[in-house]
Amino acid sequence: MIPAGARHTVAIVGAGAAGALTALQVCETATRRRTPLDLVLIDPAPEAGRGVAYATADPRHRLNVPAGGMSCYPDDPGHLTRWLCRHGEPAVNDADFVTRYRYGAYLADTLGQAVVRAHGVVRVRRVRSRAEGCADTAGGRLELRLADGGCLTADSAVLATGPAAGNGAWAPPGLRTSPRFVAEPWAPGALVGPLSDTADVLLVGTGLTAVDLALTLDRPGRVLHAVSRNGLLPQPHALSPQPSIPPPQGLAGAPLDRLRRAVFRHIGRAVRHHGDWRPALDGLRVCTAELWRSLTPGERAEFLRRDGALWNTHRHRMAPATAEALDRMRAARRLSVRAGRIAAARTGPDGTVSVDLADGRSLRVGWVIDCTGPGHHLDDPLWRSLVDAGAAVPGPLGMGVATREGRLLDAAGRADRALFTLGAPRRGELWETTAVPEIREQAAALARELLAPLAPPVRGSRRRPVDALGLALSTHSEAAAAHRAGLDRVLKVRSGAEQAFRRAVALDPGFALGHAALALLGHESGARVDVPRELAEAQRCARERADERERSFVEVVTRRVHGTDPDGAALLGHLDAHPGDALALATAVPTIAFSGVRDLDDTYALRLVERTSPAYDGHWFHTSLLAFLRQGQGRFHEAGELAHRALAAEPASGHAVHALAHVHYECGAHEAGRDWLDGWVSGRGRGAVHRAHFSWHIALHELALDDPAAVRRRWLAQLAPGRVSGVRALVDSGSLLWRARLSDSWPGEVPAAEVLDSVARDIVERPATAFTALHAAVALAAAGDVAALRRLRDHAAGADAVQREVVVPLCEALAALVEERFHEAARGLAALLPAVRRVGGSAAQREVVEETLLYALVSAGRCEAARRLLDERLDRKPAPRDRRLLAALPG
């Protein structure tokens, strides 16, 4: 343990990808845990995050992994793609291969944001120098000797030095001393010569370094010769990648010859069944380190000798666009790739280099560039000092250094020092360890290891703050107060919940419930929240500091966002265990704020609310939910009494207001409902988060009262695009326009296209729920867009059962209506009407299908059927508009 009051110092040597990812994880982990820390990042580069790999500004140099696999966070794979979308590349997706320079900017920016968020907890300092030595101090700390003559003392250090620089040891003496030999092609200014003329170039090596340099050096009149022992270029990624295939069981522990046969069979099956070997090889990624560890030293050496080149060229692939560019160069004879080994070289007086290959062939080129890849870590002064002092030893087969879970082993085989590494130096231990997907996992594990000694002692007697319903919160009092404010606004259906929850996690970044609430709001209500990031934060925090209820709620939100709890079993199970969790109850019962549990019918919802009643003891929120469910049962008098009781206790209760709005509408009290709700919306309802939905309810009363001028004013003032957007515009604004058109309450063409323009195209044509799909179909019908209706139908045909069985025939009927095939539309809608309830929502919302059927019947000349339908509607609730429509029917 670190003494109380002392600030622990972590030094990270190297600020490339490995160093930046480690610093990022240390900052965020320390911030979540509120652990004071000094972090020193040592690297001579002007910008953190780039290193050698991501400093190249050549736009032809692309990542060799798609964007979906290059996030900084192992638990948030879409983070890079979202960053790119926010930074000028809105069309990018997870399958794209972005430029290396752009990725370096992403690493630098993400680390910078983490440093800003860590302010006040973590003090970060950059040291623009190179570490050249490391030694123990008398006090048990580490002293790093810097190239500028300075020293830095730290409690622990991470050596994130990346791949070692090549040393050109393979080159014959006549080549190593030649001014035309480029030993370190990525060193600043190293390529000035080859770029300044058109002389032919020899690239020694055919891996990814050679690929990048071939793209940079290609020009008319020049031939690039690429030579390696195997003459194999990296394989390309598939244009349309398929999901990885899990590896067969029982690979670990198998002898190398049996393992080799099993892997080739695994790949063969993938080729036979999927036409591609890549999914099989990608599936091995999860167990590569385990398989490597299970081999004996002799088997590892045999693998490197016999299989290493084949593995590397298939495992470390190039982007499809890069492969295509190389194919064009080879077809134009500007690139020649062959197997060979350099035997001798000499530089002539004219500056050209004559290179003799071991097979007797000769090449005459202007430049020779070493592309053989990284050299030996022990050539670096820092690593050499550690080995000389016995603090580090070479790794297996001389690759990297020996480690145990990232901690350096000394000459005696001990791992006692707080000295760690990750990435390329662990190659001997892990084999596959140089790619970002592996390094980010190691960085996260290192952050936890580095901070483990700093955990404060657990105080069992500490009393935790509680939420408004008395449930304990794993945070401090200030963050708990902000969380209570957010919860209060959610339960009242008022705006400001997002800001309150944001304040809660700003006050305590390790507060799992705050992050989970933000993720829920973003997913359910369209709040401007980076949902995957907040969800990942909630999961991290729940693992570190949360009780059973909080962990359960985070799991519920996770499954809800990922769509892995379609029947709501996890949410309902959580409520069984924790009935007083008001945010979970609000999420489960569909009224207005959340979409509820799919397939949660009124009877089950009522049982759920009644079952949780003892935990609320008449609380206005619970009473409001009960009121809404009672009106859904048609028990309007009881629902009205409950709503008024809840409003007496809390006049701002949006759920109670919503219940009362339905009571007025279903009872035909249109004038009273319009006036009461209009007064509430312009008064206490000004802060309602779904104010547009209450305005929609008022407009329904105005439609029923046959007041088209009022409907138009209401739409322009409170429901037009610009005032409403997203799903709310689709559900409220779009459906209102369609209903106004059907009843001749909107003169001229309805502006449905404006509504659709305010909604993301994916929401309209690929909706996640049947409820949204129904309203998307209605809005598309109002806009007369038959082509989009058919695209929506095709999506619904491949979606869940409700979309297949309800939305598909609805789209077909609406398309027929738009194309004035009224008899066909009427038949389809009449057959569909009994099943519409399955899409969810309220009777008032689903009524749009009935009104569409009425319009189709009248347009088809089926006046008797239209009259029967109007009589049924008027029996349910009186409405001047329906009386007018009935009176206008012929005969």
mmCIF file of all heavy atoms in Angstrom, residues 260-291:
data_model
loop_
_atom_site.group_PDB
_atom_site.id
_atom_site.type_symbol
_atom_site.label_atom_id
_atom_site.label_comp_id
_atom_site.label_asym_id
_atom_site.label_seq_id
_atom_site.Cartn_x
_atom_site.Cartn_y
_atom_site.Cartn_z
ATOM 1 N N ARG A 260 -1.341 -28.100 -36.159
ATOM 2 C CA ARG A 260 -1.280 -27.629 -37.536
ATOM 3 C C ARG A 260 -2.380 -28.277 -38.376
ATOM 4 O O ARG A 260 -3.080 -27.607 -39.142
ATOM 5 C CB ARG A 260 0.103 -27.923 -38.123
ATOM 6 C CG ARG A 260 0.304 -27.369 -39.526
ATOM 7 C CD ARG A 260 1.648 -27.792 -40.091
ATOM 8 N NE ARG A 260 2.752 -27.157 -39.415
ATOM 9 C CZ ARG A 260 3.687 -27.799 -38.716
ATOM 10 N NH1 ARG A 260 3.616 -29.125 -38.567
ATOM 11 N NH2 ARG A 260 4.683 -27.133 -38.146
ATOM 12 N N ARG A 261 -2.538 -29.598 -38.235
ATOM 13 C CA ARG A 261 -3.577 -30.300 -39.013
ATOM 14 C C ARG A 261 -4.972 -29.796 -38.645
ATOM 15 O O ARG A 261 -5.829 -29.600 -39.512
ATOM 16 C CB ARG A 261 -3.471 -31.814 -38.777
ATOM 17 C CG ARG A 261 -2.241 -32.457 -39.415
ATOM 18 C CD ARG A 261 -2.385 -33.986 -39.441
ATOM 19 N NE ARG A 261 -2.512 -34.543 -38.100
ATOM 20 C CZ ARG A 261 -1.473 -34.929 -37.364
ATOM 21 N NH1 ARG A 261 -0.237 -34.780 -37.832
ATOM 22 N NH2 ARG A 261 -1.658 -35.452 -36.165
ATOM 23 N N ALA A 262 -5.211 -29.578 -37.338
ATOM 24 C CA ALA A 262 -6.525 -29.107 -36.901
ATOM 25 C C ALA A 262 -6.834 -27.717 -37.448
ATOM 26 O O ALA A 262 -7.968 -27.433 -37.869
ATOM 27 C CB ALA A 262 -6.585 -29.106 -35.376
ATOM 28 N N VAL A 263 -5.827 -26.848 -37.462
ATOM 29 C CA VAL A 263 -6.042 -25.491 -37.979
ATOM 30 C C VAL A 263 -6.316 -25.534 -39.472
ATOM 31 O O VAL A 263 -7.212 -24.848 -39.973
ATOM 32 C CB VAL A 263 -4.823 -24.602 -37.658
ATOM 33 C CG1 VAL A 263 -4.902 -23.294 -38.444
ATOM 34 C CG2 VAL A 263 -4.766 -24.312 -36.163
ATOM 35 N N PHE A 264 -5.571 -26.364 -40.221
ATOM 36 C CA PHE A 264 -5.813 -26.449 -41.661
ATOM 37 C C PHE A 264 -7.194 -27.041 -41.962
ATOM 38 O O PHE A 264 -7.867 -26.635 -42.911
ATOM 39 C CB PHE A 264 -4.715 -27.258 -42.347
ATOM 40 C CG PHE A 264 -3.481 -26.446 -42.665
ATOM 41 C CD1 PHE A 264 -2.268 -26.725 -42.058
ATOM 42 C CD2 PHE A 264 -3.544 -25.386 -43.562
ATOM 43 C CE1 PHE A 264 -1.139 -25.973 -42.331
ATOM 44 C CE2 PHE A 264 -2.419 -24.628 -43.845
ATOM 45 C CZ PHE A 264 -1.209 -24.915 -43.234
ATOM 46 N N ARG A 265 -7.637 -27.991 -41.145
ATOM 47 C CA ARG A 265 -9.000 -28.514 -41.323
ATOM 48 C C ARG A 265 -10.032 -27.430 -41.048
ATOM 49 O O ARG A 265 -11.039 -27.308 -41.765
ATOM 50 C CB ARG A 265 -9.226 -29.725 -40.405
ATOM 51 C CG ARG A 265 -8.576 -31.005 -40.891
ATOM 52 C CD ARG A 265 -9.165 -32.215 -40.168
ATOM 53 N NE ARG A 265 -8.977 -32.150 -38.723
ATOM 54 C CZ ARG A 265 -7.919 -32.639 -38.083
ATOM 55 N NH1 ARG A 265 -6.940 -33.239 -38.775
ATOM 56 N NH2 ARG A 265 -7.826 -32.553 -36.771
ATOM 57 N N HIS A 266 -9.800 -26.645 -39.986
ATOM 58 C CA HIS A 266 -10.688 -25.528 -39.623
ATOM 59 C C HIS A 266 -10.787 -24.534 -40.782
ATOM 60 O O HIS A 266 -11.881 -24.104 -41.160
ATOM 61 C CB HIS A 266 -10.122 -24.857 -38.364
ATOM 62 C CG HIS A 266 -10.808 -23.609 -37.941
ATOM 63 N ND1 HIS A 266 -12.164 -23.544 -37.646
ATOM 64 C CD2 HIS A 266 -10.323 -22.346 -37.734
ATOM 65 C CE1 HIS A 266 -12.477 -22.316 -37.291
ATOM 66 N NE2 HIS A 266 -11.377 -21.567 -37.341
ATOM 67 N N ILE A 267 -9.662 -24.207 -41.381
ATOM 68 C CA ILE A 267 -9.657 -23.274 -42.511
ATOM 69 C C ILE A 267 -10.326 -23.901 -43.731
ATOM 70 O O ILE A 267 -11.084 -23.249 -44.456
ATOM 71 C CB ILE A 267 -8.207 -22.840 -42.817
ATOM 72 C CG1 ILE A 267 -7.678 -21.972 -41.668
ATOM 73 C CG2 ILE A 267 -8.137 -22.076 -44.137
ATOM 74 C CD1 ILE A 267 -6.209 -21.638 -41.762
ATOM 75 N N GLY A 268 -10.064 -25.188 -43.954
ATOM 76 C CA GLY A 268 -10.685 -25.867 -45.099
ATOM 77 C C GLY A 268 -12.203 -25.869 -45.005
ATOM 78 O O GLY A 268 -12.902 -25.674 -46.004
ATOM 79 N N ARG A 269 -12.732 -26.103 -43.784
ATOM 80 C CA ARG A 269 -14.191 -26.078 -43.603
ATOM 81 C C ARG A 269 -14.745 -24.689 -43.918
ATOM 82 O O ARG A 269 -15.811 -24.559 -44.518
ATOM 83 C CB ARG A 269 -14.545 -26.485 -42.173
ATOM 84 C CG ARG A 269 -14.469 -27.978 -41.921
ATOM 85 C CD ARG A 269 -15.125 -28.343 -40.587
ATOM 86 N NE ARG A 269 -14.416 -27.756 -39.462
ATOM 87 C CZ ARG A 269 -13.422 -28.348 -38.811
ATOM 88 N NH1 ARG A 269 -13.009 -29.559 -39.200
ATOM 89 N NH2 ARG A 269 -12.823 -27.760 -37.787
ATOM 90 N N ALA A 270 -14.012 -23.663 -43.500
ATOM 91 C CA ALA A 270 -14.483 -22.295 -43.774
ATOM 92 C C ALA A 270 -14.526 -22.030 -45.269
ATOM 93 O O ALA A 270 -15.479 -21.417 -45.782
ATOM 94 C CB ALA A 270 -13.561 -21.284 -43.080
ATOM 95 N N VAL A 271 -13.522 -22.498 -45.996
ATOM 96 C CA VAL A 271 -13.499 -22.285 -47.444
ATOM 97 C C VAL A 271 -14.650 -23.037 -48.106
ATOM 98 O O VAL A 271 -15.328 -22.512 -49.004
ATOM 99 C CB VAL A 271 -12.138 -22.717 -48.029
ATOM 100 C CG1 VAL A 271 -12.161 -22.680 -49.550
ATOM 101 C CG2 VAL A 271 -11.017 -21.825 -47.499
ATOM 102 N N ARG A 272 -14.898 -24.265 -47.655
ATOM 103 C CA ARG A 272 -15.974 -25.049 -48.267
ATOM 104 C C ARG A 272 -17.345 -24.451 -47.989
ATOM 105 O O ARG A 272 -18.206 -24.409 -48.871
ATOM 106 C CB ARG A 272 -15.929 -26.501 -47.743
ATOM 107 C CG ARG A 272 -14.772 -27.321 -48.284
ATOM 108 C CD ARG A 272 -14.968 -28.799 -47.999
ATOM 109 N NE ARG A 272 -15.069 -29.075 -46.570
ATOM 110 C CZ ARG A 272 -14.017 -29.278 -45.770
ATOM 111 N NH1 ARG A 272 -12.795 -29.228 -46.275
ATOM 112 N NH2 ARG A 272 -14.187 -29.527 -44.489
ATOM 113 N N HIS A 273 -17.564 -23.994 -46.758
ATOM 114 C CA HIS A 273 -18.896 -23.527 -46.384
ATOM 115 C C HIS A 273 -19.125 -22.048 -46.643
ATOM 116 O O HIS A 273 -20.257 -21.612 -46.839
ATOM 117 C CB HIS A 273 -19.159 -23.830 -44.904
ATOM 118 C CG HIS A 273 -19.247 -25.287 -44.594
ATOM 119 N ND1 HIS A 273 -18.328 -25.941 -43.792
ATOM 120 C CD2 HIS A 273 -20.110 -26.247 -45.011
ATOM 121 C CE1 HIS A 273 -18.644 -27.231 -43.705
ATOM 122 N NE2 HIS A 273 -19.722 -27.438 -44.434
ATOM 123 N N HIS A 274 -18.049 -21.246 -46.595
ATOM 124 C CA HIS A 274 -18.209 -19.794 -46.721
ATOM 125 C C HIS A 274 -17.443 -19.203 -47.904
ATOM 126 O O HIS A 274 -17.557 -18.012 -48.174
ATOM 127 C CB HIS A 274 -17.759 -19.102 -45.430
ATOM 128 C CG HIS A 274 -18.491 -19.568 -44.213
ATOM 129 N ND1 HIS A 274 -19.733 -19.080 -43.847
ATOM 130 C CD2 HIS A 274 -18.164 -20.493 -43.269
ATOM 131 C CE1 HIS A 274 -20.134 -19.682 -42.740
ATOM 132 N NE2 HIS A 274 -19.208 -20.535 -42.366
ATOM 133 N N GLY A 275 -16.632 -20.020 -48.560
ATOM 134 C CA GLY A 275 -15.881 -19.536 -49.701
ATOM 135 C C GLY A 275 -14.728 -18.622 -49.347
ATOM 136 O O GLY A 275 -14.195 -17.927 -50.220
ATOM 137 N N ASP A 276 -14.302 -18.599 -48.097
ATOM 138 C CA ASP A 276 -13.250 -17.676 -47.671
ATOM 139 C C ASP A 276 -12.537 -18.264 -46.454
ATOM 140 O O ASP A 276 -13.182 -18.798 -45.537
ATOM 141 C CB ASP A 276 -13.867 -16.320 -47.310
ATOM 142 C CG ASP A 276 -12.821 -15.223 -47.121
ATOM 143 O OD1 ASP A 276 -11.617 -15.510 -47.262
ATOM 144 O OD2 ASP A 276 -13.228 -14.078 -46.836
ATOM 145 N N TRP A 277 -11.211 -18.152 -46.422
ATOM 146 C CA TRP A 277 -10.420 -18.650 -45.302
ATOM 147 C C TRP A 277 -10.346 -17.652 -44.152
ATOM 148 O O TRP A 277 -10.014 -18.008 -43.022
ATOM 149 C CB TRP A 277 -8.996 -18.976 -45.761
ATOM 150 C CG TRP A 277 -8.341 -17.858 -46.534
ATOM 151 C CD1 TRP A 277 -8.344 -17.692 -47.888
ATOM 152 C CD2 TRP A 277 -7.629 -16.737 -46.001
ATOM 153 N NE1 TRP A 277 -7.677 -16.536 -48.239
ATOM 154 C CE2 TRP A 277 -7.226 -15.936 -47.096
ATOM 155 C CE3 TRP A 277 -7.292 -16.329 -44.714
ATOM 156 C CZ2 TRP A 277 -6.501 -14.752 -46.931
ATOM 157 C CZ3 TRP A 277 -6.572 -15.153 -44.546
ATOM 158 C CH2 TRP A 277 -6.176 -14.370 -45.651
ATOM 159 N N ARG A 278 -10.625 -16.387 -44.426
ATOM 160 C CA ARG A 278 -10.395 -15.330 -43.430
ATOM 161 C C ARG A 278 -11.219 -15.508 -42.152
ATOM 162 O O ARG A 278 -10.692 -15.314 -41.052
ATOM 163 C CB ARG A 278 -10.661 -13.960 -44.056
ATOM 164 C CG ARG A 278 -9.695 -13.607 -45.190
ATOM 165 C CD ARG A 278 -10.138 -12.332 -45.896
ATOM 166 N NE ARG A 278 -9.302 -11.996 -47.034
ATOM 167 C CZ ARG A 278 -9.464 -12.519 -48.257
ATOM 168 N NH1 ARG A 278 -10.426 -13.398 -48.477
ATOM 169 N NH2 ARG A 278 -8.657 -12.155 -49.233
ATOM 170 N N PRO A 279 -12.525 -15.842 -42.248
ATOM 171 C CA PRO A 279 -13.288 -15.996 -40.990
ATOM 172 C C PRO A 279 -12.690 -17.046 -40.058
ATOM 173 O O PRO A 279 -12.744 -16.895 -38.837
ATOM 174 C CB PRO A 279 -14.682 -16.404 -41.473
ATOM 175 C CG PRO A 279 -14.776 -15.859 -42.870
ATOM 176 C CD PRO A 279 -13.395 -15.990 -43.432
ATOM 177 N N ALA A 280 -12.120 -18.100 -40.627
ATOM 178 C CA ALA A 280 -11.518 -19.144 -39.784
ATOM 179 C C ALA A 280 -10.269 -18.623 -39.100
ATOM 180 O O ALA A 280 -10.061 -18.848 -37.893
ATOM 181 C CB ALA A 280 -11.189 -20.367 -40.636
ATOM 182 N N LEU A 281 -9.419 -17.936 -39.847
ATOM 183 C CA LEU A 281 -8.194 -17.413 -39.255
ATOM 184 C C LEU A 281 -8.511 -16.345 -38.214
ATOM 185 O O LEU A 281 -7.878 -16.289 -37.150
ATOM 186 C CB LEU A 281 -7.289 -16.843 -40.346
ATOM 187 C CG LEU A 281 -5.816 -16.678 -39.951
ATOM 188 C CD1 LEU A 281 -5.176 -18.038 -39.703
ATOM 189 C CD2 LEU A 281 -5.045 -15.926 -41.016
ATOM 190 N N ASP A 282 -9.491 -15.490 -38.513
ATOM 191 C CA ASP A 282 -9.873 -14.457 -37.548
ATOM 192 C C ASP A 282 -10.413 -15.075 -36.260
ATOM 193 O O ASP A 282 -10.234 -14.517 -35.175
ATOM 194 C CB ASP A 282 -10.921 -13.523 -38.161
ATOM 195 C CG ASP A 282 -10.358 -12.700 -39.317
ATOM 196 O OD1 ASP A 282 -9.123 -12.599 -39.412
ATOM 197 O OD2 ASP A 282 -11.149 -12.188 -40.120
ATOM 198 N N GLY A 283 -11.077 -16.210 -36.381
ATOM 199 C CA GLY A 283 -11.607 -16.867 -35.194
ATOM 200 C C GLY A 283 -10.532 -17.389 -34.262
ATOM 201 O O GLY A 283 -10.783 -17.592 -33.065
ATOM 202 N N LEU A 284 -9.329 -17.597 -34.776
ATOM 203 C CA LEU A 284 -8.225 -18.087 -33.941
ATOM 204 C C LEU A 284 -7.644 -16.995 -33.059
ATOM 205 O O LEU A 284 -6.877 -17.288 -32.131
ATOM 206 C CB LEU A 284 -7.116 -18.665 -34.820
ATOM 207 C CG LEU A 284 -7.458 -19.925 -35.621
ATOM 208 C CD1 LEU A 284 -6.339 -20.255 -36.584
ATOM 209 C CD2 LEU A 284 -7.732 -21.099 -34.687
ATOM 210 N N ARG A 285 -8.010 -15.750 -33.354
ATOM 211 C CA ARG A 285 -7.390 -14.630 -32.641
ATOM 212 C C ARG A 285 -7.606 -14.711 -31.131
ATOM 213 O O ARG A 285 -6.736 -14.343 -30.342
ATOM 214 C CB ARG A 285 -7.950 -13.321 -33.192
ATOM 215 C CG ARG A 285 -7.239 -12.088 -32.693
ATOM 216 C CD ARG A 285 -7.618 -10.892 -33.529
ATOM 217 N NE ARG A 285 -6.748 -9.757 -33.285
ATOM 218 C CZ ARG A 285 -6.629 -8.736 -34.110
ATOM 219 N NH1 ARG A 285 -7.303 -8.707 -35.235
ATOM 220 N NH2 ARG A 285 -5.822 -7.740 -33.821
ATOM 221 N N VAL A 286 -8.784 -15.184 -30.725
ATOM 222 C CA VAL A 286 -9.111 -15.203 -29.298
ATOM 223 C C VAL A 286 -8.246 -16.195 -28.516
ATOM 224 O O VAL A 286 -8.127 -16.090 -27.299
ATOM 225 C CB VAL A 286 -10.608 -15.538 -29.087
ATOM 226 C CG1 VAL A 286 -11.488 -14.468 -29.691
ATOM 227 C CG2 VAL A 286 -10.949 -16.905 -29.686
ATOM 228 N N CYS A 287 -7.661 -17.166 -29.220
ATOM 229 C CA CYS A 287 -6.904 -18.198 -28.494
ATOM 230 C C CYS A 287 -5.452 -18.290 -28.942
ATOM 231 O O CYS A 287 -4.745 -19.221 -28.548
ATOM 232 C CB CYS A 287 -7.583 -19.558 -28.638
ATOM 233 S SG CYS A 287 -7.686 -20.164 -30.339
ATOM 234 N N THR A 288 -4.975 -17.337 -29.749
ATOM 235 C CA THR A 288 -3.608 -17.420 -30.264
ATOM 236 C C THR A 288 -2.582 -17.437 -29.138
ATOM 237 O O THR A 288 -1.646 -18.253 -29.135
ATOM 238 C CB THR A 288 -3.329 -16.251 -31.223
ATOM 239 O OG1 THR A 288 -4.264 -16.299 -32.292
ATOM 240 C CG2 THR A 288 -1.924 -16.337 -31.786
ATOM 241 N N ALA A 289 -2.722 -16.513 -28.165
ATOM 242 C CA ALA A 289 -1.753 -16.456 -27.070
ATOM 243 C C ALA A 289 -1.760 -17.755 -26.269
ATOM 244 O O ALA A 289 -0.695 -18.263 -25.872
ATOM 245 C CB ALA A 289 -2.059 -15.259 -26.168
ATOM 246 N N GLU A 290 -2.945 -18.300 -26.034
ATOM 247 C CA GLU A 290 -3.037 -19.557 -25.283
ATOM 248 C C GLU A 290 -2.352 -20.694 -26.047
ATOM 249 O O GLU A 290 -1.635 -21.512 -25.459
ATOM 250 C CB GLU A 290 -4.503 -19.902 -25.031
ATOM 251 C CG GLU A 290 -4.726 -21.185 -24.255
ATOM 252 C CD GLU A 290 -6.192 -21.572 -24.164
ATOM 253 O OE1 GLU A 290 -7.019 -20.931 -24.838
ATOM 254 O OE2 GLU A 290 -6.485 -22.529 -23.431
ATOM 255 N N LEU A 291 -2.564 -20.752 -27.365
ATOM 256 C CA LEU A 291 -1.946 -21.804 -28.170
ATOM 257 C C LEU A 291 -0.422 -21.646 -28.184
ATOM 258 O O LEU A 291 0.312 -22.634 -28.097
ATOM 259 C CB LEU A 291 -2.488 -21.758 -29.604
ATOM 260 C CG LEU A 291 -3.977 -22.050 -29.774
ATOM 261 C CD1 LEU A 291 -4.387 -21.930 -31.225
ATOM 262 C CD2 LEU A 291 -4.324 -23.429 -29.232
#
